[in-house]
Amino acid sequence: MDGTYRQTVDGGIDVPPILHEAARQDGLALQAYRMLLRWIPFADSHYTEWDRMPNCGYFFGGSYWYGLDTARTITVYAVLSVIGPFDEKAAGCTRERLMERAIAGIRYLAFTHDAGPPELVRVKGTNPFCSEKKWGGRDDSYFMATQTGYSVSSLAMASWVLWDRLDEETRTLVGKVVEHYADRWCDIEPRDGVYYDTQVEENSWVAQGIAAAADLFPGHPRNAHWRSRFRKWAANSLTTFRDRFNLDYHQHNDRSKGIPLSFINTSTLHPDYTTENHGFVHPTYLVLGINQRATHALFALMSGRQADPFALMNNEPLYDRTIKMCCQADGFMIPVQGQDWWYNRQHELLLTHAVLNVIHGNPDAARLERHALDRLEQIQTSNANGCFLEENGEACVIREGYQTARDFENWAAQDVLYVYLLHAFGGAGAAPSDRDEMGQRLSGVFSYPYGGFVVHRSGDQSTFSSFSWRNDVMGVTLGEPGIWLTVPSHASMTGVIRLDGHTGAPGLTNEEIVRDAGHVCLDTRREGFGVTALIRRGGGELEQDVAFVSLPDGRTVYAERQRAVQDCSIRDNLTGLVGVRNETYQAVPESADGRRTVHLPAESVTFAGFCGDADDEERSFADVAYVNLDGKIGYVLYGSNGIKYVNKHRYPRWKGVENTLILNDSGARELKAGEALPVFAVITLPNRNNEQTAEEASKSAMLSAPDSSYVIIECGGEAVAYANFGFERVVVTGRKELAGEKEIPLYEGTNRVSDGRAEWVMPVEARKAGYAAAVLRMSWETADEADGTPDAPDARKCSLDAIVSEDGVYVLNKGEHPVTVRLAGAKPDTNRTLELAAGSFAELKLS
């Protein structure tokens, strides 16, 4: 473009010039641009000419939902055809061909839209809802009709970039499409809602579609009205209840005329800045309010204007309080309540980080964006055809018959394009946070009571744990590889329990996906948490008490107790469930080499991961005390009925190459009312190899009885995790045989040595779970043992109580002989030798 305004429709409507001279071509912008060039040959192989009208064509089949297949692709083609350091060799074609095909796609979409000639419809395709039909939503529901805002925005962006290359017919067609959307939806009121399916997504795509008209046609007679209504839709996309009461914000944000309190009429976010879609807190839909409104910010940057503040409203608190708190080291957001799309969604988080970096100057976003961009480039480099998701995407079926991974390639490419444009026209953004400082600052425990989950992050970013008690009840423990190794499958840990003949309502039986739990008790600490919950399976015939404890060092303990409320027939009982990623990306060999090895005490078995036409493999293993996965994460088991590894190759709905490790396969069984199964428990050890897992298993123990109403697990002699499943406060007691040992760890509470046995005793409130870390280690020796001449076996026995509180340690010799007690701790002033006569005690103060 030459910087002048161009005439469009309605006799004299101008489009703003793009400030080409302001575009930078370095750093992150250049990295993203080169990735887009590598993607072009792949996209070009999916281009088809359309012979119904001159100079028309479409991409990726031409009859996908809302015209997105072509709309998202033409933005990439349009931009690369006129902006940036183009490389014909990398792109595999000339800029002229890119421009021709971008214009052909613009014309195809404009002709086949509801605003185009009625006889021109999209081509025949596999999607029965779109095949040989127009797009634009004329006869569709609100949800489907408004969703075309995606494509209207993309069409506007591509057309704006090529405006002086479009003929008058094409400009007029584009103008009609854009006006059609803005006029149809701008006067409708934004919708309110946060549960099940948030209105974040819908309100922001309407804002995106109306913004296309307001930004593209500033001189249009209806522009002021479009802009005013765009601001309302944008403002109401990310809102909590606070925004509806913030009178000062409404009065002063727009100082020229003030904003009435009724301007904000929605709540689309919970007060803890979570929200739900598809019935759970879903990473994709959490970030869409930021990403979709960002197209307006791009229009503003590229034309030298300021983005409207209402299009950025609540981006920062949503990002800082929730999004980045659930991000792993490579910038990808961990789906703490599961995922029903594909796992490799780095592209959408990449765009979110870029918006917060460039527009908001967030240093943490600057760091995470770089990691996400590098990771996405690794994935693309691993795909021989240059695609961003799956090299054989057509084989990865998401919805049988009309939706595969290939259909989402253009989404990934457009996100990378927008990252490029943000940096080209907005600069590098903030200086990235220091990795270690950021990790320490974002470490700790964070509870989301409205979203229904809690997370625990380590300061070195090597571990992450979470437990969700609503929407999808599940526990997750991740090590350094994050979700490249184990993934938050629905019902992680809590498992799949199918009952025959139950009385539950369909969808609410908590059999395969656990929707809810009762009697939830959460206890958070600075460096860990404990939670208990009660899950009712089927129609309530079977109750499953579960506990999840996250220790300060990133280890977790999961425990469960099942009991029949009524007679019940259990068809499958698969708990301690762990999702396992097993994909192949050559550029990510440390996490995705296409193999997973299960290490057991007596053998190791390797499974090749792939998606294809092959039978699933299942291997079962009995009498296993521990198992390690790939030398990177270990599981120490108590009360397991056997483990099973399912190496999947066929997927009803593809999310990635995802296997399943089941740590407690209890099998089919009948239970009478009142009958209970023994407690099952597992210690999860992130970042441990097989040898370290075996060593930890030898130092750990279940200290409570399998049929008890409470659970006590000693973890490596360094901490005890406990859970009281009862509804009354109890004094829990854990016991273990010493087998000749003369040393024990001292935990908060009462530590007792008597008759060759150690006990740990502590009162625990009803339904509470938690942990006690070892404060000191205590060893002892009787006088007889010290001089090597014990009189009799009884003389070697001792009876000691060591009571540990926040203030200090009190050691009482309850035996009949003098005892020398040695206390050892990490600090020099805690190392003490105590000479205790029979019946005496001593105190050690803890500073």
Side-chain angles (χ1 to χ4, degrees):
M1 296 180 70
D2 59 11
T4 62
Y5 279 34
R6 294 295 181 182
Q7 253 194 354
T8 65
V9 295
D10 286 2
I13 301 170
D14 295 322
V15 300
I18 295 175
L19 303 181
H20 287 267
E21 67 281 1
R24 301 167 178 85
Q25 308 297 339
D26 56 9
L28 298 175
L30 186 58
Q31 184 179 359
Y33 194 89
R34 289 171 176 166
M35 291 165 65
L36 292 166
L37 289 175
R38 288 198 292 270
W39 186 75
I40 289 297
F42 170 76
D44 224 39
S45 69
H46 291 90
Y47 173 79
T48 305
E49 291 186 1
W50 190 52
D51 59 7
R52 293 289 303 277
M53 297 297 290
N55 303 321
C56 290
Y58 53 86
F59 290 90
F60 295 102
S63 59
Y64 187 68
W65 296 107
Y66 319 114
L68 286 170
D69 45 9
T70 298
R72 282 181 167 143
T73 309
I74 59 174
T75 59
V76 179
Y77 272 58
V79 169
L80 267 60
S81 73
V82 294
I83 300 175
F86 189 76
D87 182 340
E88 283 191 12
K89 184 177 180 181
C93 65
T94 64
R95 272 191 146 155
E96 288 70 24
R97 189 166 88 182
L98 285 185
M99 186 181 299
E100 289 171 1
R101 293 188 171 182
I103 293 173
I106 290 170
R107 288 172 57 79
Y108 173 77
L109 288 171
F111 278 123
T112 58
H113 186 267
D114 287 335
E119 70 278 8
L120 296 179
V121 297
R122 286 176 288 173
V123 295
K124 185 177 181 62
T126 59
N127 187 335
F129 303 98
C130 305
S131 177
E132 298 182 303
K133 296 178 182 178
K134 282 190 166 293
W135 69 280
R138 176 175 292 158
D139 300 318
D140 290 333
S141 66
Y142 169 87
F143 176 82
M144 296 183 68
T146 57
Q147 197 163 170
T148 59
Y150 281 140
S151 295
V152 170
S153 176
S154 298
L155 178 64
M157 175 66 79
S159 300
W160 180 40
V161 170
L162 297 178
W163 197 257
D164 60 350
R165 274 80 169 184
L166 302 182
D167 58 40
E168 206 57 42
E169 177 189 45
T170 305
R171 293 179 186 174
T172 301
L173 287 165
V174 170
K176 288 181 177 179
V177 172
V178 175
E179 289 176 2
H180 177 276
Y181 190 92
D183 286 340
R184 181 176 180 185
W185 298 112
C186 73
D187 289 324
I188 304 297
E189 285 299 299
R191 295 192 174 189
D192 186 64
V194 64
Y195 287 96
Y196 191 77
D197 271 340
T198 178
Q199 294 301 302
V200 164
E201 177 191 26
E202 295 164 40
N203 290 355
S204 60
W205 71 42
V206 174
Q208 185 180 29
I210 298 171
D215 291 331
L216 188 60
F217 298 137
H220 195 288
R222 297 193 292 283
N223 183 273
H225 184 60
W226 289 341
R227 190 162 297 280
S228 172
R229 296 302 297 175
F230 149 68
R231 297 175 78 222
K232 176 148 190 176
W233 279 96
N236 281 277
S237 295
L238 291 181
T239 54
T240 71
F241 80 97
R242 297 180 186 90
D243 299 308
R244 301 183 71 163
F245 292 102
N246 192 344
L247 183 61
D248 181 70
Y249 179 84
H250 293 288
Q251 289 177 336
H252 299 297
N253 203 314
D254 186 341
R255 298 183 183 278
S256 63
K257 45 190 163 180
I259 299 297
L261 189 62
S262 60
F263 189 75
I264 305 294
N265 65 318
T266 66
S267 296
T268 63
L269 298 169
H270 291 307
D272 58 7
Y273 288 89
T274 61
T275 195
E276 300 168 28
N277 222 78
H278 299 183
F280 58 95
V281 178
H282 198 305
T284 293
Y285 301 93
L286 200 61
V287 304
L288 278 180
I290 295 174
N291 291 5
Q292 290 174 174
R293 298 186 304 175
T295 55
H296 161 74
L298 272 180
F299 267 94
L301 280 175
M302 294 170 69
S303 57
R305 295 179 288 116
Q306 290 292 317
D308 193 296
F310 283 110
L312 310 175
M313 178 178 153
N314 280 333
N315 280 0
E316 292 174 281
L318 172 61
Y319 185 81
D320 286 332
R321 298 186 191 184
T322 304
I323 293 172
K324 76 180 180 185
M325 305 311 296
C326 294
C327 279
Q328 61 186 34
D330 66 359
F332 183 74
M333 190 173 176
I334 298 163
V336 296
Q337 292 186 346
Q339 177 61 276
D340 58 358
W341 286 116
W342 64 100
Y343 283 117
N344 277 339
R345 304 184 68 85
Q346 281 83 2
H347 57 91
E348 67 185 5
L349 268 299
L350 168 65
L351 178 55
T352 305
H353 299 318
V355 172
L356 268 293
N357 176 23
V358 175
I359 305 297
H360 297 280
N362 189 303
D364 294 343
R367 169 158 294 283
L368 291 170
E369 181 194 0
R370 284 162 170 78
H371 293 316
L373 189 61
D374 288 344
R375 182 64 86 190
L376 185 57
E377 186 171 28
Q378 287 178 319
I379 295 171
Q380 184 189 28
T381 303
S382 301
N383 294 327
N385 57 5
C387 71
F388 285 117
L389 300 179
E390 287 291 330
E391 185 172 319
N392 300 310
E394 294 90 340
C396 301
V397 176
I398 296 173
R399 284 189 175 92
E400 188 67 40
Y402 61 89
Q403 193 176 62
T404 69
R406 190 203 67 175
D407 294 315
F408 293 98
E409 275 291 332
N410 42 68
W411 185 350
Q414 189 180 66
D415 282 350
V416 176
L417 173 72
Y418 286 171
V419 169
Y420 162 69
L421 292 173
L422 280 168
H423 286 290
F425 290 91
S433 298
D434 176 78
R435 182 187 184 278
D436 294 336
E437 181 278 330
M438 175 181 164
Q440 289 298 325
R441 176 165 40 82
L442 301 185
S443 66
V445 175
F446 305 90
S447 178
Y448 298 87
Y450 296 90
F453 63 92
V454 58
V455 304
H456 177 201
R457 301 168 57 94
S458 64
D460 62 1
Q461 303 181 61
S462 67
T463 66
F464 177 98
S465 58
S466 66
F467 186 82
S468 169
W469 58 86
R470 194 173 65 79
N471 299 325
D472 291 326
V473 182
M474 52 191 281
V476 174
T477 310
L478 303 174
E480 253 178 326
I483 67 165
W484 282 94
L485 176 60
T486 57
V487 288
S489 297
H490 297 299
S492 290
M493 282 295 154
T494 55
V496 173
I497 302 177
R498 302 183 181 96
L499 303 179
D500 287 329
H502 62 73
T503 60
L508 297 173
T509 63
N510 291 333
E511 291 182 286
E512 297 186 19
I513 297 178
V514 186
R515 303 289 184 191
D516 59 2
H519 300 289
V520 176
C521 180
L522 172 66
D523 180 27
T524 60
R525 307 187 194 180
R526 190 179 192 130
E527 296 181 335
F529 67 83
V531 61
T532 62
L534 176 61
I535 302 169
R536 292 181 171 87
R537 301 278 188 162
E541 295 88 349
L542 182 71
E543 290 187 343
Q544 179 190 19
D545 280 308
V546 298
F548 192 88
V549 178
S550 185
L551 300 174
D553 65 359
R555 289 175 296 175
T556 65
V557 175
Y558 167 79
E560 68 177 26
R561 181 185 64 164
Q562 298 180 32
R563 64 184 182 279
V565 176
Q566 304 170 29
D567 292 355
C568 58
S569 177
I570 303 174
R571 184 169 74 256
D572 294 300
N573 199 335
L574 310 170
T575 61
L577 188 151
V578 179
V580 181
R581 287 276 296 280
N582 194 4
E583 293 175 305
T584 305
Y585 292 104
Q586 291 181 350
V588 195
E590 74 283 2
S591 298
D593 66 354
R595 296 173 299 168
R596 290 288 178 247
T597 300
V598 177
H599 299 284
L600 303 142
E603 62 179 318
S604 295
V605 183
T606 298
F607 298 92
F610 59 89
C611 175
D613 189 19
D615 291 338
D616 295 345
E617 304 170 65
E618 289 191 8
R619 285 287 303 273
S620 294
F621 307 92
D623 299 322
V624 175
Y626 65 88
V627 58
N628 183 276
L629 182 62
D630 238 35
K632 295 177 180 177
I633 191 167
Y635 304 92
V636 178
L637 309 177
Y638 301 98
S640 171
N641 292 278
I643 73 169
K644 179 191 293 184
Y645 191 91
V646 183
N647 189 25
K648 297 181 182 178
H649 302 303
R650 294 192 178 114
Y651 297 89
R653 178 168 182 157
W654 175 81
K655 294 193 290 182
V657 180
E658 181 182 14
N659 302 161
T660 305
L661 172 64
I662 297 155
L663 300 175
N664 183 30
D665 182 2
S666 294
R669 63 178 66 206
E670 305 288 326
L671 289 181
K672 297 294 184 181
E675 189 177 356
L677 299 180
V679 166
F680 162 70
V682 53
I683 307 172
T684 301
L685 309 169
N687 308 320
R688 269 45 164 218
N689 60 29
N690 191 39
E691 290 74 21
Q692 291 167 325
T693 302
E695 181 181 3
E696 190 107 7
S698 69
K699 295 179 179 179
S700 301
M702 177 182 281
L703 305 183
S704 53
D707 58 351
S708 175
S709 63
Y710 57 81
V711 179
I712 305 173
I713 304 289
E714 185 173 34
C715 304
E718 298 166 335
V720 287
Y722 56 84
N724 176 13
F725 292 136
F727 287 87
E728 295 180 355
R729 182 177 185 267
V730 296
V731 177
V732 303
T733 302
R735 298 180 177 89
K736 68 176 180 180
E737 298 298 322
L738 288 176
E741 299 105 313
K742 298 289 184 178
E743 182 180 83
I744 63 168
L746 298 184
Y747 305 109
E748 178 188 357
T750 300
N751 303 265
R752 184 167 291 145
V753 175
S754 180
D755 296 327
R757 184 170 63 187
E759 293 184 349
W760 176 73
V761 182
M762 191 171 107
V764 178
E765 299 299 324
R767 304 296 304 175
K768 187 175 180 179
Y771 60 87
V775 176
L776 299 168
R777 297 194 70 81
M778 181 178 76
S779 59
W780 59 91
E781 190 176 45
T782 66
D784 306 75
E785 292 171 311
D787 63 20
T789 58
D791 294 334
D794 285 348
R796 293 195 299 271
K797 294 183 179 179
C798 66
S799 180
L800 295 172
D801 277 4
I803 303 169
V804 180
S805 67
E806 292 182 0
D807 299 329
V809 180
Y810 302 84
V811 182
L812 171 63
N813 180 5
K814 300 193 308 183
E816 299 177 356
H817 305 279
V819 177
T820 299
V821 175
R822 295 179 178 87
L823 302 177
K827 297 179 180 179
D829 61 353
T830 60
N831 295 327
R832 191 77 58 85
T833 298
L834 307 174
E835 301 292 345
L836 296 179
S840 68
F841 73 93
E843 176 185 357
L844 172 64
K845 289 290 186 181
L846 296 176
S847 56

